[in-house]
Amino acid sequence: LKDQFDNLDKHTQWGIDFLEKYAKFVKERIEIEQNYAKQLRNLVKKYCPKRSPKDEEPRFTSCIAFFNILNELNDYAGQREVVAEEMGHRVYGELMRYSHDLKTERKMHLQEGRKAQQYLDMCWKQMDNSKKKFERECREAEKAQQSYERLDNDTNATKADVEKAKQQLNLRTHMADENKNEYAAQLQNFNGEQHKHYYIVIPQIYKQLQEMDERRTIKLSECYKGFADSERKVIPIISKCLEGMILAAKSVDEHRDSQLVIDCFKSGFEPPGDFPFEDYSQNIYRTISDGTISTPKQEGMRIDSKTTMGKAKGKLWLFGKKPKPQSPPLTPTSLYTSSTPNGSQYPIFSIEPVHYCMNDIKTGKPRIPSFRSLKRGGPALEDFSHLPPEQRRKKLQQRIDELNRELQKETDQKDALIKMKDVYEKNPQMGDPSSLQPKLTETMSNMDRLRMEIHKNEAWLSEVEGKVAARSDRRHSSDINHLVTQGRESPEGSYTDDANQEVRGPPQQHAHPNEFDDEFEDDDPLPAIGHCKAIYPFDGHNEGTLAMKEGEILYIIEEDKGDGWTRARRHNGEEGYVPTSYIDVTLEKNSKGA
């Protein structure tokens, strides 16, 4: 039975060791999950875009999808951390706590078993000692009896010796009887304790050890289940993360990305027109008897101005509206003749048009810098005039949006200061109202400055949008006029009746580049698409805007394109832009389509 107790001791110790072994496994799994989540977060951090709020990188759908995938992966890493935390709290922590309690309980049960065994051993020793003492006393009594019988039978022994031996016999017999009674009591006590030990105490201890081991097994089963539940709980969220990645992949739109590239790099410039064919061989095939050479120059140089205007209007150039000088096509009248001493005439080709074009290229100033100067990083101007029209419009619109946001912040701050000042005036103990005046003044000054900046940039934006629209109109008209163009134009697009003046005359320069643009503005007024009523008065100090009074009725000739401005016209024909938020617009259903 003692060996079985030792076997149970070894078995319970093995159970605790196995429990701690599984706890170690869970701990290593938690470390793996934590390292995995950490590496995923580092990966996401490495590939996440590091842009400032003002970064103007185009947001392609493929890039947005990748950033969404990174966000989903970051959430996935967070779920791995949740798994590790759940395992650490629900499984590993519970195992370590239970292992400590199990060791304490096992130690207590084993101590109780050892104490019971020690008590039984002590009872056995007491019984054995009483037995040995009883046995010794019995031997002594037998010796005393033999001595008494020998002296009693001995005739030579004295009566005193016989009496002494008899007393010794009685004493030893009495002591033997006492030891016999004590031995019997100890034996009875030992038998009772032994029965109690083997039938009550030890079975109870074994039962407690059995229950302890079964609870250990149940705890392992619960931890196994908790280990799996920690993973199963995050599966729905992980599935959502994976679904988000799939949706991000489906959101990639190649056409939209292409459109973003087009919008990003669209310059707004018009492609250059076709170079005219200069036929220098016309006079080679003419005979000497051809009378066209000696025809009057004035008739040969007569050109329809309307036709030439149409041709000039159809030519759109890279650096502005003004066409580059071109040499006119050589005709017989564009040549001058020279006579030999014998009276014969021979044609001489003029080099003046080529010389004129070279001078104009050297001395002419383009309206905006070339692409090469843009690539080299030329000085950035405040109105972005160094950029192409389309990019300039985007930059101005972005600056207007930023200024509007700053103005809104300053307005909110002003309102807050005014409310605080009112509170201070009503409750002087809370603060001095005059202390807020400098800040209020500064805020008002900032608001005025921002409004001026907004008006200035809006004027530039209107100018850019007007030029882009005018250029589009000119392209449309040039396509029509190009079909009916006849005649000849000079290098500057002007006309002359003198052939010599055309060939040899100096190039005529325009007084201002805008004069050339103004010649091609459409004189026909735009049709009204509705009318509006001014809700608030508007000063209209900036160029291109239209002043109006409260309650004034205006015609709408162009709707708001999203920039906050509507183009309107008075009854007297004056046109300009007015703030959309200042008017109540009513559009005509029939005229809008026209």
Side-chain angles (χ1 to χ4, degrees), residues 465-488:
E465 291 178 347
K467 288 183 178 180
V468 171
R471 187 178 292 111
S472 177
D473 294 341
R474 285 197 299 274
R475 171 186 288 184
H476 179 70
S477 62
S478 63
D479 293 339
I480 298 175
N481 293 335
H482 183 71
L483 299 175
V484 297
T485 300
Q486 294 179 356
R488 184 178 69 255

PDB file of all heavy atoms in Angstrom, residues 465-488:
ATOM      1  N   GLU A 465     -10.041  80.805 -66.655  1.00  0.00           N
ATOM      2  CA  GLU A 465     -11.188  80.108 -67.220  1.00  0.00           C
ATOM      3  C   GLU A 465     -11.727  80.829 -68.451  1.00  0.00           C
ATOM      4  O   GLU A 465     -12.152  80.204 -69.421  1.00  0.00           O
ATOM      5  CB  GLU A 465     -12.277  79.969 -66.160  1.00  0.00           C
ATOM      6  CG  GLU A 465     -11.903  79.009 -65.042  1.00  0.00           C
ATOM      7  CD  GLU A 465     -12.979  78.932 -63.978  1.00  0.00           C
ATOM      8  OE1 GLU A 465     -13.873  79.808 -64.006  1.00  0.00           O
ATOM      9  OE2 GLU A 465     -12.941  78.019 -63.137  1.00  0.00           O
ATOM     10  N   GLY A 466     -11.699  82.177 -68.427  1.00  0.00           N
ATOM     11  CA  GLY A 466     -12.139  82.931 -69.599  1.00  0.00           C
ATOM     12  C   GLY A 466     -11.238  82.696 -70.801  1.00  0.00           C
ATOM     13  O   GLY A 466     -11.703  82.545 -71.928  1.00  0.00           O
ATOM     14  N   LYS A 467      -9.906  82.612 -70.546  1.00  0.00           N
ATOM     15  CA  LYS A 467      -8.983  82.390 -71.656  1.00  0.00           C
ATOM     16  C   LYS A 467      -9.144  80.992 -72.233  1.00  0.00           C
ATOM     17  O   LYS A 467      -9.095  80.788 -73.444  1.00  0.00           O
ATOM     18  CB  LYS A 467      -7.549  82.610 -71.184  1.00  0.00           C
ATOM     19  CG  LYS A 467      -7.214  84.070 -70.921  1.00  0.00           C
ATOM     20  CD  LYS A 467      -5.767  84.230 -70.539  1.00  0.00           C
ATOM     21  CE  LYS A 467      -5.415  85.701 -70.312  1.00  0.00           C
ATOM     22  NZ  LYS A 467      -4.000  85.877 -69.944  1.00  0.00           N
ATOM     23  N   VAL A 468      -9.352  80.021 -71.349  1.00  0.00           N
ATOM     24  CA  VAL A 468      -9.536  78.655 -71.840  1.00  0.00           C
ATOM     25  C   VAL A 468     -10.807  78.557 -72.670  1.00  0.00           C
ATOM     26  O   VAL A 468     -10.838  77.939 -73.736  1.00  0.00           O
ATOM     27  CB  VAL A 468      -9.575  77.677 -70.641  1.00  0.00           C
ATOM     28  CG1 VAL A 468      -9.984  76.288 -71.124  1.00  0.00           C
ATOM     29  CG2 VAL A 468      -8.224  77.635 -69.956  1.00  0.00           C
ATOM     30  N   ALA A 469     -11.881  79.233 -72.219  1.00  0.00           N
ATOM     31  CA  ALA A 469     -13.125  79.205 -72.972  1.00  0.00           C
ATOM     32  C   ALA A 469     -12.978  79.928 -74.310  1.00  0.00           C
ATOM     33  O   ALA A 469     -13.480  79.482 -75.343  1.00  0.00           O
ATOM     34  CB  ALA A 469     -14.244  79.831 -72.141  1.00  0.00           C
ATOM     35  N   ALA A 470     -12.274  81.071 -74.293  1.00  0.00           N
ATOM     36  CA  ALA A 470     -12.068  81.819 -75.532  1.00  0.00           C
ATOM     37  C   ALA A 470     -11.240  81.014 -76.525  1.00  0.00           C
ATOM     38  O   ALA A 470     -11.504  80.995 -77.718  1.00  0.00           O
ATOM     39  CB  ALA A 470     -11.398  83.158 -75.234  1.00  0.00           C
ATOM     40  N   ARG A 471     -10.228  80.305 -75.981  1.00  0.00           N
ATOM     41  CA  ARG A 471      -9.397  79.499 -76.862  1.00  0.00           C
ATOM     42  C   ARG A 471     -10.216  78.378 -77.498  1.00  0.00           C
ATOM     43  O   ARG A 471     -10.059  78.026 -78.659  1.00  0.00           O
ATOM     44  CB  ARG A 471      -8.218  78.925 -76.087  1.00  0.00           C
ATOM     45  CG  ARG A 471      -7.216  78.201 -76.969  1.00  0.00           C
ATOM     46  CD  ARG A 471      -6.042  77.684 -76.165  1.00  0.00           C
ATOM     47  NE  ARG A 471      -5.244  78.795 -75.656  1.00  0.00           N
ATOM     48  CZ  ARG A 471      -5.167  79.125 -74.368  1.00  0.00           C
ATOM     49  NH1 ARG A 471      -5.851  78.428 -73.491  1.00  0.00           N
ATOM     50  NH2 ARG A 471      -4.423  80.136 -73.980  1.00  0.00           N
ATOM     51  N   SER A 472     -11.119  77.801 -76.717  1.00  0.00           N
ATOM     52  CA  SER A 472     -11.987  76.753 -77.253  1.00  0.00           C
ATOM     53  C   SER A 472     -12.904  77.310 -78.338  1.00  0.00           C
ATOM     54  O   SER A 472     -13.126  76.681 -79.371  1.00  0.00           O
ATOM     55  CB  SER A 472     -12.803  76.134 -76.117  1.00  0.00           C
ATOM     56  OG  SER A 472     -13.680  75.168 -76.630  1.00  0.00           O
ATOM     57  N   ASP A 473     -13.432  78.533 -78.109  1.00  0.00           N
ATOM     58  CA  ASP A 473     -14.295  79.148 -79.122  1.00  0.00           C
ATOM     59  C   ASP A 473     -13.518  79.433 -80.390  1.00  0.00           C
ATOM     60  O   ASP A 473     -14.021  79.241 -81.505  1.00  0.00           O
ATOM     61  CB  ASP A 473     -14.907  80.439 -78.562  1.00  0.00           C
ATOM     62  CG  ASP A 473     -15.861  80.144 -77.412  1.00  0.00           C
ATOM     63  OD1 ASP A 473     -16.307  78.987 -77.309  1.00  0.00           O
ATOM     64  OD2 ASP A 473     -16.122  81.075 -76.620  1.00  0.00           O
ATOM     65  N   ARG A 474     -12.274  79.870 -80.227  1.00  0.00           N
ATOM     66  CA  ARG A 474     -11.477  80.190 -81.411  1.00  0.00           C
ATOM     67  C   ARG A 474     -11.159  78.931 -82.211  1.00  0.00           C
ATOM     68  O   ARG A 474     -11.100  78.939 -83.415  1.00  0.00           O
ATOM     69  CB  ARG A 474     -10.188  80.917 -81.003  1.00  0.00           C
ATOM     70  CG  ARG A 474     -10.420  82.351 -80.610  1.00  0.00           C
ATOM     71  CD  ARG A 474      -9.108  83.124 -80.627  1.00  0.00           C
ATOM     72  NE  ARG A 474      -8.160  82.569 -79.672  1.00  0.00           N
ATOM     73  CZ  ARG A 474      -8.125  82.915 -78.400  1.00  0.00           C
ATOM     74  NH1 ARG A 474      -9.010  83.774 -77.912  1.00  0.00           N
ATOM     75  NH2 ARG A 474      -7.219  82.390 -77.591  1.00  0.00           N
ATOM     76  N   ARG A 475     -10.937  77.830 -81.466  1.00  0.00           N
ATOM     77  CA  ARG A 475     -10.661  76.588 -82.191  1.00  0.00           C
ATOM     78  C   ARG A 475     -11.887  76.186 -83.019  1.00  0.00           C
ATOM     79  O   ARG A 475     -11.787  75.751 -84.159  1.00  0.00           O
ATOM     80  CB  ARG A 475     -10.315  75.465 -81.204  1.00  0.00           C
ATOM     81  CG  ARG A 475     -10.225  74.104 -81.877  1.00  0.00           C
ATOM     82  CD  ARG A 475     -10.038  72.994 -80.879  1.00  0.00           C
ATOM     83  NE  ARG A 475      -8.709  73.023 -80.336  1.00  0.00           N
ATOM     84  CZ  ARG A 475      -8.271  72.098 -79.486  1.00  0.00           C
ATOM     85  NH1 ARG A 475      -9.065  71.124 -79.106  1.00  0.00           N
ATOM     86  NH2 ARG A 475      -7.031  72.161 -79.020  1.00  0.00           N
ATOM     87  N   HIS A 476     -13.053  76.329 -82.445  1.00  0.00           N
ATOM     88  CA  HIS A 476     -14.275  75.960 -83.161  1.00  0.00           C
ATOM     89  C   HIS A 476     -14.469  76.839 -84.389  1.00  0.00           C
ATOM     90  O   HIS A 476     -14.809  76.358 -85.464  1.00  0.00           O
ATOM     91  CB  HIS A 476     -15.461  76.085 -82.208  1.00  0.00           C
ATOM     92  CG  HIS A 476     -16.760  75.742 -82.855  1.00  0.00           C
ATOM     93  ND1 HIS A 476     -17.105  74.450 -83.231  1.00  0.00           N
ATOM     94  CD2 HIS A 476     -17.816  76.547 -83.196  1.00  0.00           C
ATOM     95  CE1 HIS A 476     -18.295  74.451 -83.764  1.00  0.00           C
ATOM     96  NE2 HIS A 476     -18.760  75.699 -83.754  1.00  0.00           N
ATOM     97  N   SER A 477     -14.243  78.133 -84.237  1.00  0.00           N
ATOM     98  CA  SER A 477     -14.438  79.044 -85.372  1.00  0.00           C
ATOM     99  C   SER A 477     -13.374  78.848 -86.425  1.00  0.00           C
ATOM    100  O   SER A 477     -13.634  78.971 -87.616  1.00  0.00           O
ATOM    101  CB  SER A 477     -14.440  80.497 -84.868  1.00  0.00           C
ATOM    102  OG  SER A 477     -13.190  80.797 -84.272  1.00  0.00           O
ATOM    103  N   SER A 478     -12.149  78.469 -85.975  1.00  0.00           N
ATOM    104  CA  SER A 478     -11.086  78.274 -86.960  1.00  0.00           C
ATOM    105  C   SER A 478     -11.351  77.044 -87.813  1.00  0.00           C
ATOM    106  O   SER A 478     -11.022  77.013 -88.991  1.00  0.00           O
ATOM    107  CB  SER A 478      -9.739  78.133 -86.258  1.00  0.00           C
ATOM    108  OG  SER A 478      -9.760  76.976 -85.433  1.00  0.00           O
ATOM    109  N   ASP A 479     -11.966  76.031 -87.218  1.00  0.00           N
ATOM    110  CA  ASP A 479     -12.295  74.851 -88.008  1.00  0.00           C
ATOM    111  C   ASP A 479     -13.310  75.181 -89.096  1.00  0.00           C
ATOM    112  O   ASP A 479     -13.294  74.595 -90.181  1.00  0.00           O
ATOM    113  CB  ASP A 479     -12.856  73.759 -87.091  1.00  0.00           C
ATOM    114  CG  ASP A 479     -11.801  73.250 -86.134  1.00  0.00           C
ATOM    115  OD1 ASP A 479     -10.601  73.435 -86.444  1.00  0.00           O
ATOM    116  OD2 ASP A 479     -12.165  72.684 -85.070  1.00  0.00           O
ATOM    117  N   ILE A 480     -14.210  76.116 -88.829  1.00  0.00           N
ATOM    118  CA  ILE A 480     -15.207  76.507 -89.836  1.00  0.00           C
ATOM    119  C   ILE A 480     -14.595  77.401 -90.902  1.00  0.00           C
ATOM    120  O   ILE A 480     -14.779  77.205 -92.106  1.00  0.00           O
ATOM    121  CB  ILE A 480     -16.386  77.216 -89.151  1.00  0.00           C
ATOM    122  CG1 ILE A 480     -17.067  76.238 -88.170  1.00  0.00           C
ATOM    123  CG2 ILE A 480     -17.385  77.729 -90.159  1.00  0.00           C
ATOM    124  CD1 ILE A 480     -18.175  76.882 -87.356  1.00  0.00           C
ATOM    125  N   ASN A 481     -13.803  78.388 -90.451  1.00  0.00           N
ATOM    126  CA  ASN A 481     -13.239  79.350 -91.403  1.00  0.00           C
ATOM    127  C   ASN A 481     -12.170  78.722 -92.280  1.00  0.00           C
ATOM    128  O   ASN A 481     -11.910  79.180 -93.384  1.00  0.00           O
ATOM    129  CB  ASN A 481     -12.649  80.530 -90.651  1.00  0.00           C
ATOM    130  CG  ASN A 481     -13.730  81.352 -89.965  1.00  0.00           C
ATOM    131  OD1 ASN A 481     -14.873  81.333 -90.403  1.00  0.00           O
ATOM    132  ND2 ASN A 481     -13.377  82.038 -88.885  1.00  0.00           N
ATOM    133  N   HIS A 482     -11.559  77.647 -91.772  1.00  0.00           N
ATOM    134  CA  HIS A 482     -10.491  77.049 -92.568  1.00  0.00           C
ATOM    135  C   HIS A 482     -11.029  76.427 -93.860  1.00  0.00           C
ATOM    136  O   HIS A 482     -10.301  76.292 -94.847  1.00  0.00           O
ATOM    137  CB  HIS A 482      -9.783  75.974 -91.726  1.00  0.00           C
ATOM    138  CG  HIS A 482      -8.616  75.350 -92.427  1.00  0.00           C
ATOM    139  ND1 HIS A 482      -7.450  76.032 -92.657  1.00  0.00           N
ATOM    140  CD2 HIS A 482      -8.463  74.107 -92.943  1.00  0.00           C
ATOM    141  CE1 HIS A 482      -6.602  75.245 -93.273  1.00  0.00           C
ATOM    142  NE2 HIS A 482      -7.194  74.063 -93.469  1.00  0.00           N
ATOM    143  N   LEU A 483     -12.326  76.108 -93.871  1.00  0.00           N
ATOM    144  CA  LEU A 483     -12.896  75.496 -95.059  1.00  0.00           C
ATOM    145  C   LEU A 483     -13.125  76.507 -96.175  1.00  0.00           C
ATOM    146  O   LEU A 483     -13.209  76.129 -97.340  1.00  0.00           O
ATOM    147  CB  LEU A 483     -14.218  74.798 -94.708  1.00  0.00           C
ATOM    148  CG  LEU A 483     -14.098  73.671 -93.670  1.00  0.00           C
ATOM    149  CD1 LEU A 483     -15.487  73.153 -93.319  1.00  0.00           C
ATOM    150  CD2 LEU A 483     -13.212  72.546 -94.203  1.00  0.00           C
ATOM    151  N   VAL A 484     -13.256  77.801 -95.834  1.00  0.00           N
ATOM    152  CA  VAL A 484     -13.579  78.802 -96.849  1.00  0.00           C
ATOM    153  C   VAL A 484     -12.466  79.810 -97.022  1.00  0.00           C
ATOM    154  O   VAL A 484     -12.641  80.853 -97.632  1.00  0.00           O
ATOM    155  CB  VAL A 484     -14.876  79.543 -96.448  1.00  0.00           C
ATOM    156  CG1 VAL A 484     -16.036  78.571 -96.416  1.00  0.00           C
ATOM    157  CG2 VAL A 484     -14.721  80.201 -95.075  1.00  0.00           C
ATOM    158  N   THR A 485     -11.297  79.498 -96.467  1.00  0.00           N
ATOM    159  CA  THR A 485     -10.201  80.475 -96.522  1.00  0.00           C
ATOM    160  C   THR A 485      -9.602  80.521 -97.925  1.00  0.00           C
ATOM    161  O   THR A 485      -9.281  79.492 -98.510  1.00  0.00           O
ATOM    162  CB  THR A 485      -9.121  80.081 -95.499  1.00  0.00           C
ATOM    163  OG1 THR A 485      -9.709  80.077 -94.221  1.00  0.00           O
ATOM    164  CG2 THR A 485      -7.978  81.080 -95.545  1.00  0.00           C
ATOM    165  N   GLN A 486      -9.458  81.716 -98.468  1.00  0.00           N
ATOM    166  CA  GLN A 486      -8.774  81.930 -99.730  1.00  0.00           C
ATOM    167  C   GLN A 486      -7.970  83.199 -99.594  1.00  0.00           C
ATOM    168  O   GLN A 486      -8.369  84.158 -98.936  1.00  0.00           O
ATOM    169  CB  GLN A 486      -9.774  82.089-100.883  1.00  0.00           C
ATOM    170  CG  GLN A 486     -10.573  80.809-101.174  1.00  0.00           C
ATOM    171  CD  GLN A 486     -11.548  81.033-102.299  1.00  0.00           C
ATOM    172  OE1 GLN A 486     -11.670  82.148-102.808  1.00  0.00           O
ATOM    173  NE2 GLN A 486     -12.226  79.963-102.686  1.00  0.00           N
ATOM    174  N   GLY A 487      -6.857  83.239-100.228  1.00  0.00           N
ATOM    175  CA  GLY A 487      -6.025  84.432-100.164  1.00  0.00           C
ATOM    176  C   GLY A 487      -4.698  84.137 -99.519  1.00  0.00           C
ATOM    177  O   GLY A 487      -4.263  82.999 -99.432  1.00  0.00           O
ATOM    178  N   ARG A 488      -4.062  85.167 -99.011  1.00  0.00           N
ATOM    179  CA  ARG A 488      -2.706  85.054 -98.477  1.00  0.00           C
ATOM    180  C   ARG A 488      -2.597  85.953 -97.269  1.00  0.00           C
ATOM    181  O   ARG A 488      -3.161  87.036 -97.228  1.00  0.00           O
ATOM    182  CB  ARG A 488      -1.706  85.468 -99.582  1.00  0.00           C
ATOM    183  CG  ARG A 488      -0.252  85.291 -99.166  1.00  0.00           C
ATOM    184  CD  ARG A 488       0.659  85.659-100.318  1.00  0.00           C
ATOM    185  NE  ARG A 488       0.629  87.101-100.618  1.00  0.00           N
ATOM    186  CZ  ARG A 488       0.031  87.636-101.636  1.00  0.00           C
ATOM    187  NH1 ARG A 488      -0.613  86.878-102.490  1.00  0.00           N
ATOM    188  NH2 ARG A 488       0.067  88.956-101.862  1.00  0.00           N
TER     189      ARG A 488
END
